[in-house]
Amino acid sequence: MRNPFIIFFVLVSCSVMGQVTNKKLLTEADYHLWSTMEMQAVSAKGNWVSYHLAYESGMDTLFVRNKEATKTYSFAKGYDGKFAKDAFFSCMLPDNVLSVLNLKTGVVRQLKEITQYAFSADGTTLVTLTETQQLTMERLDGIGTETIASVTRFYLNPTTTGMVYAIAKEKASLHYCPFDGNREHFQKLESDGEATFENIVWQRKGQSFAFVKSYKDTLDIRNGKNLYVYRLAGNKLFGFDANSVPSIAKGSRIEAPLWTRFMISDDGQRVFFYLTEPSATNPEKPLVQIWNGNDAWPYPQAQRTGRFDKASKCAVWWPDSGRFLRITSTELPKMMLSGDQHYAVTYNPMGDKPQFTQDFTADFYITNLSSGEKTKFLADQLCDIAEITPSYGGKYVAYFKNKQWWVYDIARKKHFNVSIGIRESLADEAKDKSGQKPACGIVGWTKDDTDIILYDEYDLWSVSLADLKAKRLSRGREQGISFRLVYPLGEVKLTMNFDGFTFRELDLSNKLYLQAFGKDTKQSGFYEWNGTEKPIVFKDKSITQFGFTTGSDTYYYAEQDFDAPPAIMAIGKLKNVAKIVVQSNPQHFTYHWGTSQLISYTNSKNQHLQGALYYPANYNPSKKYPMVVYIYERLSQEVHRYVNPTLHNNIGINTSNLTAHGYLVLHPDISYTMDDVGISATDCVVSATKAVIAMGIVQPDKIGLTGHSFGGYEVNFIATQTDIFATIVSGAGSSDLVNTYLSIGWNTGKVETWRFEDHQYRMPLPLFSNMEGFLRNSPVMQAQNITTPMLIWTGEEDRQVDYHQTIEFYNALRRLGKKTIMLVYPNNGHILTESDSREDFTHRYESWLATYLKDASPPEWIAKGMR
C-alpha cells in the first residue's frame, strides 16, 4: 500500500486471544496466511518500534507501532526504515519512492526518484538525493531547505552530524557540510576539471576521510593509482601517488576503499589500503594439475582460497611524511591491526605442513609499523579469528591455547596466562566433537586495556591485566543459567579488523545487559547487570531480539512458544508488567495447534538427556498417535520455538505441519562417544523413543525416523541397527565413512578429514589407525541389516555432502533388494533452494509418512517404487 494507515488491532484483543472456542483444523490452503516477524528499530525515547513481516507471497510489509499499541502505520514492501528521534520515520518503497511519516501528526509525504536518504543525528535534518542528482537538506521543523544540483553521492560521517558530498560538473568538486542549519558552514574542499571524486570512506572518529579520483580519460596513468586523505582540522589534503613509489610495480593498482579493506588510524596518522599487483590479473590455466603429497592444502583448496601470490597486499601510508610500507606478503598474507593501529599481526593460514583440522595452525608475527621490525611472537596457533584477537586499546594480543586464555604484551614482548585465577574451564566443554575444545569466548576489554572480560560456560569474568586477579561478574552457574552480553538492535559485539575481529571496549561502571538461557530448563530472557544481574524477563518461552535506547524508559523484546507465534513485548525499565505491542500471525489463534513439552530420558550408559516432544493439534489424551522422530545432535533447546506451517521447507520436515496432521514429533538430544558416533546416535535415539512409548501416548508400530545432513548419516546408520521404526527418511547424508574421509569437500576444496578428526564425526584417530571404527560406523557396510522401508533424497548440486554418497547408499540398498526410493533434485544443493522442489518434496515426504505411519493408500509413485 502506497499510503500508510492506522490499524487498531482488534483481532489480537482478548476476544481472540482468550475466548475463541470454535477453532479450525489447519490445512495446506491456510499456510499462505503466515508471516515471519523481525523487530528492526526502536525510536530514541522508546515510544515507537518498527518491525517487518515477510510473507512467502513476497508481499512483505514494514510497520511502525507505538508502545501503547494504539497506532500502527504500514508500508507495503518498505525497507531501510529509520527513525528521526521520536518525531519522524522514513523508509524506501519500490520504484525509488521515499515515504516520510510525521509520527506526531500522522501525516505522510512521498518523495519520488530518491536514490539515497538519511537523517541527521539530532533528527532535525532530512537529506535526500534524487535520480536527477539533486541533493536536498530539509529542516524537519520547517525552518528551511537547501538544494544542490549535480551531486553524485553523499557520505555521512560516523556520528551522522555531517557529511561529504561530491558534485560532478565540467569541474568536479568535493564539499563538507555539518548538520547545524548554517549554510555558511558549507565548505568546498577540493575541485578538479579532469576527474570525479569517488569511494569516500570516513575515519572511525569522523576527523578525516579518504577518497580516490576517477579520471575522465580512461587511459590516464593516474587511474587506480591515487589515494587522498582530507583532515578537517586544519583543512589539510594529502595525496598518495602509486606511480611515484619505485617499489610498487607499474601494473599495480590501488583497490577502491572498502570498509573491510581500508582504514584511517584513529589518530589520523596512518592509512591502510590494498594494492593489486599485475600477476593477479593473469590466472593460470595449467596443462596439468600437480597434487603434491606434502602440500599444506590439497590442490583444489589452494586454488580456491590459497593463491596468496595472487592476493592483494595490504600497505600503510603516512600522509605527513609520505612514508610507505607493505604489511602483508605472499608468505604472510593475512593481517589484523592492534587496537591503536601502531602494530600489525600477520600470519599464513596455510602453514607449512599438511593440515587436516577445521581451522589450521600457523605462526603469528607482529610488525612495529614505525620501525618496520617484524617478530614471530606465537607458534603453532589455531587460526580461529575468535580465539586470537588484538585488544581494543592496543596493548595486547589475546589468544586461546590449551584451554587457557593468554595475552601477549606487545611493548614488553611477554606472554601471560590471564585465566590462571579462574578455576572454571574457559573451554566449551559441552561441545562434544572431536578436536580441540573451543573457547567460551571473549566479552570485551575495559578502558586502556585495564581488564579483559571472559566467558566460562555460565558466567562473565573480569581479569586485571596488572596483577592477573580474576573476579566473577555474574552468578549463573549456581542457577544453571548461561549469561552472554547482549547489545540493543543494530549494534554489534565486535568489529571487523581486516582478516580478524576486535572485541568492544566496556565500562563496568555502567549498566550492561545480558542474554540468559537456562541450560536444563530451556527458559530464556534478558537481565540487566550493574554489579549484579537482575532479571528483566526470564520465563519458559523463547525470548529473543532486545530493543532499547539509553534515553528510553522501555525495553522491547520478542517472545514466542511452539504454540504462541512471536510477539513484540514492551516492559518499563521500572519493571512494569510486560504487555503485547505487536502480535504476529493473529490468525494462529483460530486454529487447533500442537503444544510442546521438555522430556527427560537416559541412554544405556545412564546419561541424563533431554528432548523436545510436540503434541498433535487438538490432542486427545485418550488416543495413541503415530510419531515422527527428527534428529540432529541436540535439539531440545528449540522446545519453545514457533514454526510457521509451510510447503517451502528446505529439508522437508516442518513440525507444525506434522502436528497439524496428527503426529507426535520428537526431537531427542544425542550424547556421543568418540569413535562410535553412529552407535551413540542409535543408543540415544532408541532410548528416547522408548521413553515416549512408555508414556502410553504413541502407537509403537507407527513411528518414523528422519534426518538431514549429519542427521541423514545418523538415520542411515540407525536403519542398520534397529527395527523399532516403521519407516526412515534420510536427506543428503553420508553413508560410507571411508569414502567421505578420503574425499574433497568441493564447496571449500578442503580434504574431509577435518570432519572426522576435528568435528562432527568424532573420530580423533586417522582412518589408518582406526579402520575398524570407520567400518563399524559406516551405514553402507551394514546395509544388509536394514529391514525398514527408506526414502532417501539429495540435491544433484550438493557440494556440502557429495550427492554420490546418497547414490552409493541407494545402490547398496537396490542391490540387496531392500525397499527404498531415492529422490534426486536437479539444480538444488545441500538443501532445497528451488521453490517448486521444496513444495514437491514436502508433499512427497508427508505422503510417505502417511503411507507408513497412517496406513494411507500410497500414491502411485510410492506404490510403483515399493512393489
Side-chain angles (χ1 to χ4, degrees), residues 322-605:
R323 184 179 166 217
F324 166 80
L325 176 70
R326 278 186 176 83
I327 299 175
T328 62
S329 62
T330 298
E331 293 72 30
L332 296 171
K334 301 292 184 179
M335 67 162 286
M336 297 174 274
L337 293 175
S338 60
D340 58 7
Q341 301 100 43
H342 284 290
Y343 292 83
V345 174
T346 54
Y347 64 100
N348 189 332
M350 187 181 290
D352 57 5
K353 57 186 177 182
Q355 303 270 10
F356 301 103
T357 52
Q358 181 179 15
D359 295 302
F360 309 116
T361 57
D363 297 339
F364 284 76
Y365 295 77
I366 193 160
T367 300
N368 182 326
L369 299 177
S370 296
S371 66
E373 177 190 6
K374 181 170 64 180
T375 305
K376 183 167 77 171
F377 75 98
L378 190 57
D380 201 31
Q381 172 66 29
L382 202 66
C383 297
D384 182 340
I385 57 176
E387 296 189 358
I388 178 164
T389 174
S391 66
Y392 188 89
K395 295 179 181 178
Y396 306 102
V397 179
Y399 60 95
F400 192 68
K401 200 176 189 74
N402 299 325
K403 295 188 177 184
Q404 300 287 326
W405 276 107
W406 297 72
V407 298
Y408 175 71
D409 186 319
I410 296 174
R412 298 168 63 190
K413 298 184 178 181
K414 289 187 176 181
H415 298 261
F416 298 94
N417 182 343
V418 297
S419 51
I420 194 169
I422 300 175
R423 63 181 180 275
E424 308 294 350
S425 174
L426 299 181
D428 189 351
E429 302 292 347
K431 294 286 187 182
D432 61 352
K433 297 176 173 62
S434 51
Q436 299 183 36
K437 299 284 187 185
C440 291
I442 290 180
V443 188
W445 307 81
T446 58
K447 187 175 177 59
D448 296 324
D449 291 347
T450 303
D451 291 36
I452 183 173
I453 317 298
L454 303 169
Y455 288 122
D456 71 8
E457 183 181 0
Y458 292 95
D459 293 306
L460 290 74
W461 292 79
S462 174
V463 179
S464 166
L465 295 177
D467 56 18
L468 300 183
K469 289 184 178 179
K471 178 183 179 182
R472 186 156 66 115
L473 302 180
S474 60
R475 291 294 181 271
R477 184 171 292 274
E478 294 86 343
Q479 307 170 70
I481 298 174
S482 175
F483 287 115
R484 295 296 182 258
L485 186 67
V486 66
Y487 291 99
L489 289 173
E491 290 192 25
V492 295
K493 66 180 181 180
L494 41 76
T495 56
M496 287 294 299
N497 182 351
F498 291 87
D499 298 304
F501 294 117
T502 298
F503 290 84
R504 289 174 54 167
E505 183 178 88
L506 304 174
D507 186 348
L508 297 183
S509 65
N510 288 340
K511 186 181 294 184
L512 301 178
Y513 295 94
L514 306 175
Q515 188 161 25
F517 182 74
K519 290 278 189 171
D520 292 326
T521 66
K522 313 308 179 191
Q523 293 177 304
S524 62
F526 296 104
Y527 282 60
E528 59 183 31
W529 182 91
N530 202 354
T532 58
E533 66 274 5
K534 295 180 180 180
I536 298 170
V537 56
F538 189 69
K539 60 171 78 171
D540 284 314
K541 303 281 186 181
S542 174
I543 309 293
T544 59
Q545 300 184 68
F546 196 34
F548 67 93
T549 64
T550 55
S552 166
D553 62 359
T554 303
Y555 297 117
Y556 292 90
Y557 60 89
E559 175 181 300
Q560 63 182 294
D561 207 338
F562 178 70
D563 59 353
I568 295 176
M569 311 293 292
I571 186 170
K573 290 186 178 179
L574 297 178
K575 305 300 182 296
N576 297 322
V577 176
K579 63 180 181 180
I580 296 176
V581 177
V582 181
Q583 176 62 68
S584 73
N585 299 302
Q587 76 284 351
H588 161 95
F589 299 98
T590 66
Y591 293 91
H592 292 292
W593 208 266
T595 57
S596 64
Q597 174 189 349
L598 190 66
I599 67 165
S600 297
Y601 61 96
T602 56
N603 62 8
S604 66
K605 296 181 179 179

Side-chain angles (χ1 to χ4, degrees), residues 290-300 302 350-356:
I290 301 176
W291 298 40
N292 297 312
N294 59 358
D295 285 338
W297 290 356
Y299 183 89
M350 187 181 290
D352 57 5
K353 57 186 177 182
Q355 303 270 10
F356 301 103

